[in-house]
Amino acid sequence: MMGHHGHRGLFAVPVEWLALLELKEGETVVDVGSGPGRFSIPIAKVVGPSGKVYAIDIDEQSLDEVRARASREGLTNVVTVRADATKGLPLPAGIADLVLMANVLHGFARSGHGLQVLGEAARILKGGGRLAVFDFAKRFTAFGPPLWIRVSPEEVIELATAAGFELSKRVDDIGHSHYFLMFRKP
């Protein structure tokens, strides 16, 4: 099943990337810009039936793929939501333990929507909730978007701080291509 995304759908999230998210059973996770569910599906397995994963994407085909993968894996805790995150996240305030943005924040930042989208993340998170960001290192890597589109960890920290978050963890080199930032909502 190659699907519309070709090789992208086959990219499995390494276990050590998932470990950084500090997931616990029963948590509610919002995957913003989920794509075909590379993170949503493994996260759903970790949080279990008492947990929930909202996969949010603007692309209906990606969400179809998330639903297909969830049903193949027998997962009943994945909810897909079609939305343009730059116009807001159609979820109630304070429901999420974790908001994940994997490989999407650079796009929001470059289109001038970074602060807005992070503000929405803050709104839907519980107090003490986590915001996790994986993004492409701002240097040449074997794959990924052109350098001028990428955002540095410093830029992300500045935006997230402006949105009311506190930095709690920073890892500068993951898989030779990415960095990871974890923030908390006070």
mmCIF file of all heavy atoms in Angstrom, residues 123-152:
data_model
loop_
_atom_site.group_PDB
_atom_site.id
_atom_site.type_symbol
_atom_site.label_atom_id
_atom_site.label_comp_id
_atom_site.label_asym_id
_atom_site.label_seq_id
_atom_site.Cartn_x
_atom_site.Cartn_y
_atom_site.Cartn_z
ATOM 1 N N ARG A 123 -3.944 26.922 23.879
ATOM 2 C CA ARG A 123 -5.366 26.944 24.258
ATOM 3 C C ARG A 123 -5.909 25.539 24.504
ATOM 4 O O ARG A 123 -6.644 25.305 25.472
ATOM 5 C CB ARG A 123 -6.194 27.639 23.144
ATOM 6 C CG ARG A 123 -7.681 27.769 23.473
ATOM 7 C CD ARG A 123 -8.478 28.352 22.312
ATOM 8 N NE ARG A 123 -8.491 27.486 21.135
ATOM 9 C CZ ARG A 123 -9.302 26.422 20.985
ATOM 10 N NH1 ARG A 123 -10.144 26.070 21.947
ATOM 11 N NH2 ARG A 123 -9.253 25.699 19.874
ATOM 12 N N ILE A 124 -5.562 24.593 23.638
ATOM 13 C CA ILE A 124 -6.142 23.248 23.773
ATOM 14 C C ILE A 124 -5.420 22.390 24.810
ATOM 15 O O ILE A 124 -5.927 21.339 25.199
ATOM 16 C CB ILE A 124 -6.224 22.498 22.418
ATOM 17 C CG1 ILE A 124 -4.837 22.212 21.852
ATOM 18 C CG2 ILE A 124 -7.109 23.260 21.431
ATOM 19 C CD1 ILE A 124 -4.855 21.302 20.618
ATOM 20 N N LEU A 125 -4.241 22.840 25.270
ATOM 21 C CA LEU A 125 -3.507 22.072 26.284
ATOM 22 C C LEU A 125 -4.024 22.339 27.691
ATOM 23 O O LEU A 125 -4.427 23.446 28.026
ATOM 24 C CB LEU A 125 -2.021 22.433 26.247
ATOM 25 C CG LEU A 125 -1.158 21.703 25.215
ATOM 26 C CD1 LEU A 125 0.197 22.395 25.102
ATOM 27 C CD2 LEU A 125 -0.977 20.234 25.570
ATOM 28 N N LYS A 126 -3.954 21.298 28.510
ATOM 29 C CA LYS A 126 -4.192 21.455 29.942
ATOM 30 C C LYS A 126 -3.028 22.235 30.546
ATOM 31 O O LYS A 126 -1.937 22.234 29.977
ATOM 32 C CB LYS A 126 -4.223 20.075 30.625
ATOM 33 C CG LYS A 126 -5.297 19.151 30.122
ATOM 34 C CD LYS A 126 -5.121 17.744 30.691
ATOM 35 C CE LYS A 126 -6.237 16.855 30.154
ATOM 36 N NZ LYS A 126 -6.028 15.436 30.427
ATOM 37 N N GLY A 127 -3.232 22.835 31.707
ATOM 38 C CA GLY A 127 -2.121 23.402 32.460
ATOM 39 C C GLY A 127 -1.119 22.301 32.754
ATOM 40 O O GLY A 127 -1.521 21.194 33.127
ATOM 41 N N GLY A 128 0.157 22.575 32.545
ATOM 42 C CA GLY A 128 1.176 21.541 32.737
ATOM 43 C C GLY A 128 1.337 20.632 31.529
ATOM 44 O O GLY A 128 2.189 19.739 31.530
ATOM 45 N N GLY A 129 0.508 20.859 30.490
ATOM 46 C CA GLY A 129 0.581 20.040 29.273
ATOM 47 C C GLY A 129 1.853 20.325 28.486
ATOM 48 O O GLY A 129 2.550 21.311 28.714
ATOM 49 N N ARG A 130 2.156 19.420 27.545
ATOM 50 C CA ARG A 130 3.411 19.471 26.797
ATOM 51 C C ARG A 130 3.184 19.817 25.326
ATOM 52 O O ARG A 130 2.219 19.359 24.722
ATOM 53 C CB ARG A 130 4.128 18.110 26.872
ATOM 54 C CG ARG A 130 4.142 17.543 28.277
ATOM 55 C CD ARG A 130 4.954 16.298 28.417
ATOM 56 N NE ARG A 130 4.564 15.113 27.654
ATOM 57 C CZ ARG A 130 3.486 14.373 27.886
ATOM 58 N NH1 ARG A 130 2.587 14.723 28.805
ATOM 59 N NH2 ARG A 130 3.257 13.276 27.180
ATOM 60 N N LEU A 131 4.116 20.598 24.792
ATOM 61 C CA LEU A 131 4.168 20.844 23.357
ATOM 62 C C LEU A 131 5.474 20.256 22.861
ATOM 63 O O LEU A 131 6.546 20.598 23.376
ATOM 64 C CB LEU A 131 4.136 22.351 23.069
ATOM 65 C CG LEU A 131 4.521 22.769 21.641
ATOM 66 C CD1 LEU A 131 3.457 22.340 20.636
ATOM 67 C CD2 LEU A 131 4.753 24.276 21.565
ATOM 68 N N ALA A 132 5.406 19.346 21.901
ATOM 69 C CA ALA A 132 6.602 18.706 21.368
ATOM 70 C C ALA A 132 6.794 19.107 19.912
ATOM 71 O O ALA A 132 5.851 19.047 19.114
ATOM 72 C CB ALA A 132 6.486 17.188 21.480
ATOM 73 N N VAL A 133 8.012 19.513 19.574
ATOM 74 C CA VAL A 133 8.321 19.932 18.205
ATOM 75 C C VAL A 133 9.511 19.132 17.675
ATOM 76 O O VAL A 133 10.595 19.149 18.271
ATOM 77 C CB VAL A 133 8.669 21.443 18.150
ATOM 78 C CG1 VAL A 133 9.086 21.854 16.732
ATOM 79 C CG2 VAL A 133 7.501 22.289 18.648
ATOM 80 N N PHE A 134 9.283 18.431 16.568
ATOM 81 C CA PHE A 134 10.396 17.862 15.800
ATOM 82 C C PHE A 134 10.474 18.693 14.527
ATOM 83 O O PHE A 134 9.444 18.923 13.877
ATOM 84 C CB PHE A 134 10.095 16.417 15.360
ATOM 85 C CG PHE A 134 10.167 15.388 16.455
ATOM 86 C CD1 PHE A 134 9.007 14.925 17.060
ATOM 87 C CD2 PHE A 134 11.386 14.852 16.857
ATOM 88 C CE1 PHE A 134 9.056 13.952 18.058
ATOM 89 C CE2 PHE A 134 11.434 13.882 17.854
ATOM 90 C CZ PHE A 134 10.275 13.428 18.446
ATOM 91 N N ASP A 135 11.656 19.146 14.154
ATOM 92 C CA ASP A 135 11.744 19.817 12.868
ATOM 93 C C ASP A 135 13.136 19.631 12.288
ATOM 94 O O ASP A 135 14.051 19.150 12.963
ATOM 95 C CB ASP A 135 11.368 21.299 12.968
ATOM 96 C CG ASP A 135 10.466 21.722 11.790
ATOM 97 O OD1 ASP A 135 10.792 21.364 10.627
ATOM 98 O OD2 ASP A 135 9.452 22.394 12.029
ATOM 99 N N PHE A 136 13.264 19.994 11.019
ATOM 100 C CA PHE A 136 14.518 19.794 10.299
ATOM 101 C C PHE A 136 15.591 20.770 10.775
ATOM 102 O O PHE A 136 15.343 21.964 10.878
ATOM 103 C CB PHE A 136 14.300 19.989 8.801
ATOM 104 C CG PHE A 136 13.456 18.925 8.179
ATOM 105 C CD1 PHE A 136 12.091 19.113 8.006
ATOM 106 C CD2 PHE A 136 14.026 17.718 7.766
ATOM 107 C CE1 PHE A 136 11.304 18.117 7.432
ATOM 108 C CE2 PHE A 136 13.240 16.721 7.187
ATOM 109 C CZ PHE A 136 11.878 16.921 7.024
ATOM 110 N N ALA A 137 16.772 20.231 11.058
ATOM 111 C CA ALA A 137 17.902 21.068 11.443
ATOM 112 C C ALA A 137 18.149 22.109 10.361
ATOM 113 O O ALA A 137 17.942 21.838 9.171
ATOM 114 C CB ALA A 137 19.150 20.197 11.628
ATOM 115 N N LYS A 138 18.566 23.296 10.781
ATOM 116 C CA LYS A 138 18.766 24.366 9.809
ATOM 117 C C LYS A 138 20.180 24.298 9.229
ATOM 118 O O LYS A 138 21.014 25.169 9.425
ATOM 119 C CB LYS A 138 18.495 25.731 10.448
ATOM 120 C CG LYS A 138 18.268 26.784 9.381
ATOM 121 C CD LYS A 138 17.599 28.030 9.880
ATOM 122 C CE LYS A 138 17.531 29.000 8.721
ATOM 123 N NZ LYS A 138 16.502 29.988 8.835
ATOM 124 N N ARG A 139 20.455 23.188 8.551
ATOM 125 C CA ARG A 139 21.742 22.987 7.888
ATOM 126 C C ARG A 139 21.485 21.909 6.840
ATOM 127 O O ARG A 139 20.418 21.307 6.817
ATOM 128 C CB ARG A 139 22.808 22.538 8.885
ATOM 129 C CG ARG A 139 22.423 21.289 9.633
ATOM 130 C CD ARG A 139 23.522 20.808 10.579
ATOM 131 N NE ARG A 139 23.006 19.831 11.525
ATOM 132 C CZ ARG A 139 22.674 18.580 11.222
ATOM 133 N NH1 ARG A 139 22.796 18.117 9.987
ATOM 134 N NH2 ARG A 139 22.184 17.757 12.142
ATOM 135 N N PHE A 140 22.458 21.659 5.976
ATOM 136 C CA PHE A 140 22.223 20.679 4.915
ATOM 137 C C PHE A 140 22.004 19.284 5.507
ATOM 138 O O PHE A 140 22.782 18.827 6.341
ATOM 139 C CB PHE A 140 23.386 20.634 3.919
ATOM 140 C CG PHE A 140 23.154 19.598 2.852
ATOM 141 C CD1 PHE A 140 22.281 19.854 1.808
ATOM 142 C CD2 PHE A 140 23.741 18.353 2.950
ATOM 143 C CE1 PHE A 140 22.023 18.878 0.848
ATOM 144 C CE2 PHE A 140 23.487 17.368 1.994
ATOM 145 C CZ PHE A 140 22.627 17.643 0.939
ATOM 146 N N THR A 141 20.943 18.625 5.084
ATOM 147 C CA THR A 141 20.698 17.229 5.461
ATOM 148 C C THR A 141 20.346 16.478 4.180
ATOM 149 O O THR A 141 20.028 17.087 3.153
ATOM 150 C CB THR A 141 19.539 17.101 6.470
ATOM 151 O OG1 THR A 141 18.371 17.743 5.930
ATOM 152 C CG2 THR A 141 19.887 17.764 7.808
ATOM 153 N N ALA A 142 20.398 15.153 4.251
ATOM 154 C CA ALA A 142 20.209 14.330 3.055
ATOM 155 C C ALA A 142 18.828 14.511 2.411
ATOM 156 O O ALA A 142 18.651 14.273 1.231
ATOM 157 C CB ALA A 142 20.438 12.864 3.399
ATOM 158 N N PHE A 143 17.844 14.910 3.215
ATOM 159 C CA PHE A 143 16.503 15.118 2.672
ATOM 160 C C PHE A 143 15.831 16.210 3.473
ATOM 161 O O PHE A 143 16.361 16.643 4.496
ATOM 162 C CB PHE A 143 15.678 13.825 2.738
ATOM 163 C CG PHE A 143 15.493 13.300 4.131
ATOM 164 C CD1 PHE A 143 14.340 13.606 4.858
ATOM 165 C CD2 PHE A 143 16.463 12.520 4.734
ATOM 166 C CE1 PHE A 143 14.169 13.131 6.160
ATOM 167 C CE2 PHE A 143 16.305 12.041 6.038
ATOM 168 C CZ PHE A 143 15.156 12.357 6.736
ATOM 169 N N GLY A 144 14.669 16.641 3.004
ATOM 170 C CA GLY A 144 13.949 17.683 3.739
ATOM 171 C C GLY A 144 13.819 18.947 2.904
ATOM 172 O O GLY A 144 14.320 19.018 1.785
ATOM 173 N N PRO A 145 13.135 19.940 3.452
ATOM 174 C CA PRO A 145 12.854 21.173 2.704
ATOM 175 C C PRO A 145 14.127 22.000 2.499
ATOM 176 O O PRO A 145 15.122 21.785 3.185
ATOM 177 C CB PRO A 145 11.868 21.916 3.609
ATOM 178 C CG PRO A 145 12.122 21.390 4.984
ATOM 179 C CD PRO A 145 12.598 19.978 4.810
ATOM 180 N N PRO A 146 14.098 22.936 1.535
ATOM 181 C CA PRO A 146 15.260 23.805 1.338
ATOM 182 C C PRO A 146 15.590 24.596 2.611
ATOM 183 O O PRO A 146 14.694 24.879 3.411
ATOM 184 C CB PRO A 146 14.828 24.753 0.209
ATOM 185 C CG PRO A 146 13.392 24.508 -0.045
ATOM 186 C CD PRO A 146 13.000 23.225 0.617
ATOM 187 N N LEU A 147 16.845 24.924 2.765
ATOM 188 C CA LEU A 147 17.316 25.570 3.998
ATOM 189 C C LEU A 147 16.547 26.829 4.361
ATOM 190 O O LEU A 147 16.252 27.066 5.527
ATOM 191 C CB LEU A 147 18.809 25.917 3.868
ATOM 192 C CG LEU A 147 19.784 24.786 4.158
ATOM 193 C CD1 LEU A 147 21.220 25.302 4.108
ATOM 194 C CD2 LEU A 147 19.516 24.177 5.527
ATOM 195 N N TRP A 148 16.228 27.664 3.359
ATOM 196 C CA TRP A 148 15.596 28.953 3.675
ATOM 197 C C TRP A 148 14.205 28.789 4.282
ATOM 198 O O TRP A 148 13.700 29.701 4.924
ATOM 199 C CB TRP A 148 15.547 29.860 2.446
ATOM 200 C CG TRP A 148 14.724 29.330 1.305
ATOM 201 C CD1 TRP A 148 15.152 28.533 0.290
ATOM 202 C CD2 TRP A 148 13.331 29.575 1.062
ATOM 203 N NE1 TRP A 148 14.118 28.244 -0.571
ATOM 204 C CE2 TRP A 148 12.986 28.877 -0.126
ATOM 205 C CE3 TRP A 148 12.335 30.317 1.735
ATOM 206 C CZ2 TRP A 148 11.685 28.888 -0.653
ATOM 207 C CZ3 TRP A 148 11.049 30.319 1.192
ATOM 208 C CH2 TRP A 148 10.744 29.621 0.025
ATOM 209 N N ILE A 149 13.600 27.615 4.091
ATOM 210 C CA ILE A 149 12.257 27.359 4.648
ATOM 211 C C ILE A 149 12.359 26.869 6.101
ATOM 212 O O ILE A 149 11.434 27.001 6.878
ATOM 213 C CB ILE A 149 11.525 26.305 3.779
ATOM 214 C CG1 ILE A 149 11.139 26.925 2.436
ATOM 215 C CG2 ILE A 149 10.296 25.753 4.489
ATOM 216 C CD1 ILE A 149 10.497 25.955 1.476
ATOM 217 N N ARG A 150 13.498 26.320 6.460
ATOM 218 C CA ARG A 150 13.640 25.715 7.790
ATOM 219 C C ARG A 150 13.694 26.773 8.879
ATOM 220 O O ARG A 150 14.053 27.915 8.623
ATOM 221 C CB ARG A 150 14.901 24.849 7.824
ATOM 222 C CG ARG A 150 14.875 23.770 6.749
ATOM 223 C CD ARG A 150 16.087 22.876 6.854
ATOM 224 N NE ARG A 150 16.125 21.933 5.742
ATOM 225 C CZ ARG A 150 16.773 20.777 5.767
ATOM 226 N NH1 ARG A 150 17.443 20.425 6.854
ATOM 227 N NH2 ARG A 150 16.762 19.972 4.726
ATOM 228 N N VAL A 151 13.307 26.368 10.091
ATOM 229 C CA VAL A 151 13.415 27.279 11.240
ATOM 230 C C VAL A 151 14.419 26.706 12.228
ATOM 231 O O VAL A 151 14.480 25.502 12.430
ATOM 232 C CB VAL A 151 12.059 27.500 11.956
ATOM 233 C CG1 VAL A 151 11.138 28.357 11.114
ATOM 234 C CG2 VAL A 151 11.389 26.192 12.322
ATOM 235 N N SER A 152 15.184 27.590 12.841
ATOM 236 C CA SER A 152 16.168 27.148 13.827
ATOM 237 C C SER A 152 15.457 26.890 15.153
ATOM 238 O O SER A 152 14.379 27.433 15.406
ATOM 239 C CB SER A 152 17.227 28.230 14.014
ATOM 240 O OG SER A 152 16.644 29.372 14.608
#
